[in-house]
Amino acid sequence: MNKLTSIIRYSLLACFLSTVHAIAAQPGGQSVANAPQQSADVSQQRELFKKAEYAARRGRIAEYNQLLAQLENYPLKPYLELERLQQIGYLANEDRVVSFLEQYKGTPLDWQLRQPWLDYLAKQGEYQRFIRDFRHPGTLTHQCYLIEAERARGLQDGPFIRKVDAIWRHGFSVPSACDGILNEWADLGARTKDKVWQRLVLAAEDGNPTLIPYLTSLLPNKEQYLGDLYYKVRYSPAAIGQLSRFRGVDAAKEAQIATFALTKLIWRAEELALKAYERLVSRLPFTAAQRHRIAEEFAVALSLKEHPEARVWHQKVPPSELDERVLQWRLAAYLRDHDFAALKMTIQTLPPAISGGNQWQYWLARAMEETGDKLNANKIYSELAKERHYYGFLAAARIGAPVSLEKDPVKATQTQITTLLERDDVKRAYEFLQLGRDVDARREWNHLLSDIDGEAFKTAAVIASDWGWHDQAIWTLAQIGHFDAVEIRFPMAYSEIINLSSEKYGIDPAWAMAITRRESSFRADAYSGAGARGLMQILPGTAKLLRNDDSFKRLNTPEVNVALGTYYLSRLKERFDGNHVLATAAYNAGYYKVKDWLPSEPTALDEWVEMIPYYETRDYVKAVLSYQQIYELLNGKEVNLFDAFATMRVKDD
C-alpha cells in the first residue's frame, strides 16, 4: 500500500517537477550533450511507461504485455517487471523472481522485490530458499527470520547464541518475528544478568525507557532496585538527590546510574546537580571515565547558563578528553569574560591537530591582537585570509586584505562523461528525473555512488550539475571532500526567481541565495523532520502567518516558496534594525530566541556568534555568511561583507 501510494503521488507531481527542473536548468543547467543517449520517441516511451505501470497495477495483463513490447530498450522497463513480480512473486514464479534478483542484485530494484519475497518465504517456512536468497544486512525482522531458518537447518548452539546476542543488544523493542529465537536463546541459559543489564542501560540512556520495567523483572531480586532507579532518573534526574535510593548492593552500577542522572540534571537544575555531585562523589566509586563524562557535561551546561563555576569545571576536563563541544564552550566562556590572555594560553596548549584549525588560529590571532601582540596576530590573519572560509573572510577583514575564492574547477573529459552516461543506473536516474520521481532518481544515483571511485565522483558531479540536479551535484562532491569546485557547489540556481523576489522585498539577492543554498541545496521538494518545505524551508505555520491565502499548500512551488522566504527575511531584518546577521540567526532559530541571546553589554559580532547557544544556529550563521560572500564574489562584486563585522557590536535594547 505504501509503495502504491508513493507511485501515485509521484505520478501526480510529474508535470510540476518537470517544470522545476526546467527552471533549474539555467546557465549551468541541464545539458542535452550530457544526457544519456535516447531514441527520438523517448517522450512517447515515457507516456507508454506510465500507462504500462498503471495497467500492471490494475492487473490488465493483455494491455500491459502490449505496452511492454513497445518499451524494449527503455531504461525503466525493469521497474515494470518489478511491478508484475511483486504481484505474482510466489513459488510458482520462483525462477522469474530469482532471475530478477540475480540480474539486479545490489541495485534499488533488488530490495524492492527481495523484501516481500523473503517475507513470503519466511511465512511459508521455506527455510532453505530463505537462506539462499537473504542478503546482508536486511531488516532486523529478516535477520531474525534468517537465524530461525539457520536453526531449523541445524545451526549449533554456540553460533546460534552469538547471533541472537546481536539481536538482543538493542535499546528498543525488537520485532515480534524475533520472539521465537529469543525465547529459545533464553531457554538455553544465554540470557545472563550481564546481558540484561547491558540492554537495560541501552534502553535507559539511548533507547525506549518503557522497556526498563520488563528488563528489571529479569534481574535477580536483590538487584531489581537498580532497574527501578534507572527508570526513575530517566524521567526525573533529581531523584538521585535521595541517597537512600543507593543501597550499596552494586556500587559500580549505582555510579553508572548516577553518572547518567547527573549529566541530565545539570541541564534542568544546575545548583541541585552541583550539590548532588558533592554528596555522591565520596559515596560512589566513579571511574575516571565517568568523572570525565560528568566534567564535560557540567562544563558545557554551566557555560551555556553563564554560571560562575563554568571555568572551574572546564579545568576538570583533561586535555586528552577535550572534544569540539567542550572546546567551543570553553571559548565562549573566555569571550564572555573578555579573558583573552587565558584564551591565548589555552589555544597554545592544545594539540597541534586542534590548534591548527581555522577557528582556533583565528581566535589565537584575536587573542594576540587584544593582548598587544599585533605583529604575530597579523601574520596569522594573513595566512588565514587565503582560505575560502568563514574565519578566512573574518581574518581578511581584520587586516584589510582581499578575500579569496580559491577555486579548483572539476574537470571531466567527454570520454569520462560518456562512460558514466552509458551506465544503466545513470539512465534510470535520468528518466526518473524527467518523470518527476525524485526519490526513485536519488535511489539510483546513490547506487551509482556506491559503485564508483573518487575520480568518477567528480564526473558524476559534473553530470548532475549539467542536469540541473544541484543538490545531488553538491552531495556527490561532498562525498569525496572536494570543496573547491565553487561553480558546482554554489550554482546560480533559480537566480531569476530569487533576484526578482529579493528586489521586491529590498534584500541582498546573494543573502537569499545563500539561505537557499544552506536550507535545501536548491532541492525544490526538500522536506525536513520539523515539517519545513521547499527551497527556503518554510514551515506551513510560518507561511500562514506571512500570507493569508493558500500559499502554505504550495510550498514546493519555487516561486511561492522564494516569495515567502525573501519576505520573511526582509521582516526579520527590519525587526533587527537592519542587522542581517541577527536576521540570519532568527531565520533558523526564531526571532524571540535570538532576542533572548542578545547580550546586555555591547559585544563584538564575531564574539557573539561564537556564544550562540544552539550549535545548529551557530554553524548555520557561519555557513550562510560565508555562502553570501562567495555568491557576491561569483557575481563579480569584489567586496568583503565581513568588513562591517570587524567593528559591529550587538546589544539587547
Side-chain angles (χ1 to χ4, degrees):
M1 182 62 70
N2 289 339
K3 179 178 182 297
L4 177 60
T5 302
S6 176
I7 290 173
I8 293 173
R9 178 161 60 89
Y10 286 115
S11 295
L12 292 173
L13 284 173
C15 180
F16 157 65
L17 286 177
S18 294
T19 302
V20 170
H21 289 299
I23 292 171
Q26 298 168 10
Q30 185 169 312
S31 166
V32 175
N34 283 351
Q37 292 295 314
Q38 299 175 329
S39 60
D41 60 346
V42 67
S43 296
Q44 181 184 2
Q45 284 190 311
R46 288 171 189 149
E47 291 305 312
L48 291 174
F49 169 78
K50 289 187 281 187
K51 291 178 181 179
E53 191 175 52
Y54 184 81
R57 223 176 288 132
R58 290 292 181 269
R60 301 174 183 173
I61 305 306
E63 179 185 352
Y64 165 79
N65 287 330
Q66 182 181 18
L67 292 165
L68 192 66
Q70 301 176 64
L71 292 166
E72 185 59 36
N73 296 315
Y74 185 59
L76 297 184
K77 182 182 178 182
Y79 279 89
L80 297 175
E81 299 173 35
L82 171 66
E83 188 67 45
R84 282 296 294 147
L85 289 173
Q86 285 175 324
Q87 297 177 26
I88 63 171
Y90 303 107
L91 287 179
N93 295 286
E94 178 181 13
D95 290 345
R96 289 177 63 184
V97 171
V98 172
S99 175
F100 186 92
L101 292 175
E102 182 61 30
Q103 183 176 358
Y104 297 105
K105 182 168 59 179
T107 73
L109 289 150
D110 180 337
W111 189 243
Q112 293 182 66
L113 179 59
R114 193 179 299 276
Q115 180 169 346
W117 174 245
L118 290 174
D119 289 341
Y120 169 73
L121 293 177
K123 290 173 183 176
Q124 296 298 314
E126 293 286 345
Y127 294 130
Q128 185 172 351
R129 288 181 168 92
F130 187 97
I131 294 170
R132 177 196 68 192
D133 294 335
F134 177 84
R135 294 292 180 274
H136 288 284
T139 65
L140 196 57
T141 293
H142 291 108
Q143 290 174 29
C144 289
Y145 282 150
L146 177 66
I147 297 171
E148 181 180 333
E150 291 175 333
R151 186 64 165 168
R153 300 288 297 174
L155 182 66
Q156 296 299 304
D157 288 353
F160 173 74
I161 289 172
R162 288 193 293 273
K163 290 189 175 191
V164 181
D165 280 348
I167 302 297
W168 174 259
R169 288 193 296 268
H170 283 84
F172 296 89
S173 298
V174 296
S176 59
C178 303
D179 291 348
I181 60 171
L182 284 171
N183 290 336
E184 184 178 358
W185 172 78
D187 290 342
L188 290 171
R191 191 178 64 195
T192 65
K193 71 173 186 177
D194 287 341
K195 292 176 184 177
V196 171
W197 179 254
Q198 180 185 43
R199 190 176 183 195
L200 193 152
V201 172
L202 291 172
E205 300 201 10
D206 298 304
N208 179 5
T210 61
L211 275 176
I212 298 175
Y214 159 68
L215 295 169
T216 297
S217 70
L218 302 179
L219 291 171
N221 288 336
K222 68 177 183 177
E223 295 182 20
Q224 289 186 4
Y225 82 97
L226 294 165
D228 293 336
L229 181 56
Y230 236 141
Y231 187 72
K232 182 68 176 176
V233 303
R234 175 64 172 78
Y235 293 103
S236 179
I240 60 168
Q242 299 177 22
L243 296 184
S244 60
R245 296 180 183 274
F246 296 88
R247 302 178 186 176
V249 174
D250 192 324
K253 287 185 173 64
E254 289 179 354
Q256 187 175 5
I257 297 169
T259 299
F260 168 72
L262 286 166
T263 59
K264 299 300 178 185
L265 184 59
I266 191 65
W267 291 98
R268 302 187 186 186
E270 62 271 22
E271 297 301 336
L272 184 58
L274 290 167
K275 291 178 182 177
Y277 178 77
E278 289 303 318
R279 297 174 68 188
L280 289 168
V281 71
S282 59
R283 183 186 182 102
L284 298 177
F286 291 110
T287 66
Q290 288 168 345
R291 289 173 184 264
H292 296 161
R293 180 182 173 189
I294 292 168
E296 289 174 14
E297 207 66 26
F298 276 34
V300 172
L302 294 175
S303 293
L304 191 146
K305 294 169 181 286
E306 302 184 34
H307 194 280
E309 289 192 35
R311 289 176 63 172
V312 174
W313 282 92
H314 273 289
Q315 296 306 315
K316 293 183 179 183
V317 182
S320 61
E321 299 297 320
L322 288 173
D323 61 19
E324 183 179 351
R325 190 175 68 131
V326 174
L327 284 170
Q328 179 65 45
W329 284 105
R330 184 172 294 189
L331 167 62
Y334 289 137
L335 294 179
R336 187 173 291 116
D337 295 341
H338 300 287
D339 192 347
F340 286 96
L343 174 58
K344 175 182 173 182
M345 184 180 301
T346 295
I347 296 173
Q348 289 175 329
T349 59
L350 291 175
I354 297 175
S355 63
N358 288 339
Q359 179 183 23
W360 299 106
Q361 283 295 291
Y362 175 78
W363 284 109
L364 176 59
R366 280 280 274 117
M368 288 175 170
E369 184 179 7
E370 293 289 340
T371 55
D373 190 1
K374 194 168 183 178
L375 180 62
N376 283 315
N378 285 349
K379 289 180 181 178
I380 297 175
Y381 286 144
S382 295
E383 287 301 310
L384 274 178
K386 300 174 184 176
E387 300 284 336
R388 188 194 68 253
H389 190 278
Y390 171 77
Y391 293 104
F393 296 150
L394 279 176
R398 302 297 298 188
I399 58 175
V403 287
S404 171
L405 197 52
E406 196 185 5
K407 295 191 294 183
D408 181 16
V410 168
K411 298 176 183 178
T413 66
Q414 192 56 50
T415 299
Q416 291 171 320
I417 291 172
T418 301
T419 298
L420 283 191
L421 291 177
E422 289 175 350
R423 289 180 58 112
D424 290 338
D425 45 16
V426 174
K427 292 177 182 178
R428 291 194 292 262
Y430 183 79
E431 281 305 304
F432 276 129
L433 279 178
Q434 308 318 303
L435 292 171
R437 302 184 186 182
D438 286 27
V439 172
D440 289 317
R442 289 188 184 96
R443 286 197 190 104
E444 292 288 353
W445 195 257
N446 287 337
H447 175 259
L448 165 71
L449 299 186
S450 71
D451 196 45
I452 59 177
D453 60 22
E455 276 304 309
F457 269 74
K458 297 177 184 179
T459 305
V462 170
I463 292 172
S465 180
D466 282 352
W467 290 356
W469 204 12
H470 300 297
D471 62 296
Q472 287 305 300
I474 293 166
W475 166 252
T476 300
L477 287 176
Q479 299 310 292
I480 55 172
H482 192 94
F483 299 119
D484 293 335
V486 176
E487 283 82 358
I488 290 180
R489 293 190 62 239
F490 297 95
M492 297 296 178
Y494 301 98
S495 58
E496 184 176 350
I497 297 172
I498 291 173
N499 289 341
L500 287 173
S501 196
S502 297
E503 182 179 356
K504 178 179 179 180
Y505 295 115
I507 65 171
D508 183 357
W511 183 32
M513 189 75 81
I515 292 281
T516 307
R517 167 63 172 80
R518 175 65 178 189
E519 290 287 352
S520 70
S521 294
F522 304 106
R523 179 180 164 185
D525 67 335
Y527 188 94
S528 78
R533 300 175 186 174
L535 290 171
M536 298 186 75
Q537 288 291 276
I538 307 294
L539 288 166
T542 301
K544 291 179 183 179
L545 290 174
L546 293 173
R547 187 180 290 177
N548 187 26
D549 57 20
D550 68 345
S551 295
F552 71 95
K553 298 179 181 178
R554 297 181 290 130
L555 292 177
N556 282 359
T557 304
E559 293 88 347
V560 172
N561 194 283
V562 170
L564 288 167
T566 50
Y567 175 52
Y568 187 33
L569 284 173
S570 70
R571 285 187 55 178
L572 289 171
K573 185 178 178 182
E574 182 180 357
R575 295 184 77 178
F576 284 111
D577 298 324
N579 189 317
H580 91 286
V581 178
L582 300 183
T584 298
Y587 194 87
N588 178 262
Y591 173 78
Y592 291 104
K593 281 293 183 185
V594 175
K595 283 288 289 182
D596 287 343
W597 298 339
L598 292 178
S600 57
E601 297 296 327
T603 301
L605 190 64
D606 59 350
E607 297 176 29
W608 179 81
V609 169
E610 298 291 358
M611 292 186 283
I612 292 176
Y614 291 179
Y615 76 88
E616 179 186 337
T617 303
R618 187 168 60 247
D619 292 345
Y620 181 90
V621 170
K622 294 176 184 179
V624 168
L625 296 180
S626 300
Y627 296 173
Q628 183 182 359
Q629 177 65 70
I630 291 168
Y631 274 114
E632 294 286 18
L633 293 172
L634 289 175
N635 284 324
K637 297 180 180 179
E638 297 294 330
V639 296
N640 187 348
L641 298 174
F642 288 70
D643 285 342
F645 304 164
T647 57
M648 191 181 296
R649 298 289 186 271
V650 293
K651 177 182 178 295
D652 190 15
D653 294 331

